[in-house]
Amino acid sequence: MKKIPLLGLMVVLNMSCTTQKISIANIDPTKYMNTITADELKTHLYIVASDEMEGRETGSAGQKKAGLYLINEYKKNGISFPTGASDFYQKIPAAFLNAKRNENLPDSENVWAFIEGSEKPNEILVISAHYDHVGAKNGEIYNGADDDGSGTVALLEIAQAFQIAKKAGHGPKRSILFLHVTGEEHGLHGSRYYSENPLFPLANTITDINIDMIGRRDEAHAGSNNYVYVIGANRLSTDLDNICTIANAKYTNLDLDYKYNDPKDPNHFYERSDHYNFAKYGIPSVFLFNGVHADYHKPTDSPDKIEYDALTKRAQFAFVTAWELANRTERPIVDKK
């Protein structure tokens, strides 16, 4: 090995550190965003929302098959389970799932995967989606392609995009927990279990990006699917709201619709998906949503009705928002009650 004089070594090390900081701070995420494709989302969704999964009822054999599919995809991409966990499952006992109202649910599991941060590994960004649905009724399978197969497969693609960036030397500064929660359809049970039994301290959790139904359009947007409802971003943190707006303006140019963010909206969607179990502990949270449609909670919510261009762009928006959150200097400030 060639010797380098001490002064020269210091210069080289300084240049190396400076270059590394510049490359991580200033890297354009567009090429990683573009690895999230309609073809891959469609491939995943036709499996996750297939009849083989039997509607993914909480704790059912079909949901467990879907969970195994997710885990195998993470393994294929070289993404492991979180530090401190023994496998890809956060097991949830039936006693917890049935404590509020006994629906005779069996034991179930959240599925989690993890990419460790390069500079602030103890600060955690959570990206969540529920992978359960309502099973089968009267001999008909409720496939739940939009609710929430769309969010489920978006998480797979977002994780893959971050892992590709990491392999290129541009891994996130903060750690990212990809959290597929169970029991949402029965009362947000999986996310409630995680928030009450967190793997990482809630004080270290900087934000939850929750994705629940992003593959269709509603009647209010009959003329265009180039939109997404943004719910909750400004409820706790002006920073988070600004980050969503800036990330969209820089990379995706969706119409950000805040209709359901109004606390007076009678639908109360803010309280009806899994981000709420983070927000109630003061964690800045944002819920991405396409609104309800004629196939909501019906056996006709099938993968052939998904608008894959819209699903792609909304998943890309979630990715670039996560990119900004994972790599910015400071975590979002909580400045509202």
Side-chain angles (χ1 to χ4, degrees), residues 79-80 113-117 159 162-163 166 172 174-178:
I79 302 170
S80 188
F114 188 69
I115 295 178
E116 188 172 61
F162 272 108
Q163 184 70 352
K166 182 178 179 179
R174 292 179 176 84
S175 296
I176 304 176
L177 178 67
F178 302 93

Side-chain angles (χ1 to χ4, degrees), residues 9 21 25 46 59 88 118 141 172 217 242 279 294 314 318 324 334:
L9 178 61
K21 287 179 182 178
Y46 264 83
F88 282 94
S118 60
I141 296 173
R217 73 178 81 184
N242 290 338
R314 293 162 183 162
E324 296 289 332
V334 177

Side-chain angles (χ1 to χ4, degrees), residues 94-103 189 192:
F96 181 90
L97 296 169
N98 294 300
K100 288 200 169 185
R101 56 179 187 271
N102 188 5
E103 298 180 272
H189 293 325
R192 182 168 58 88

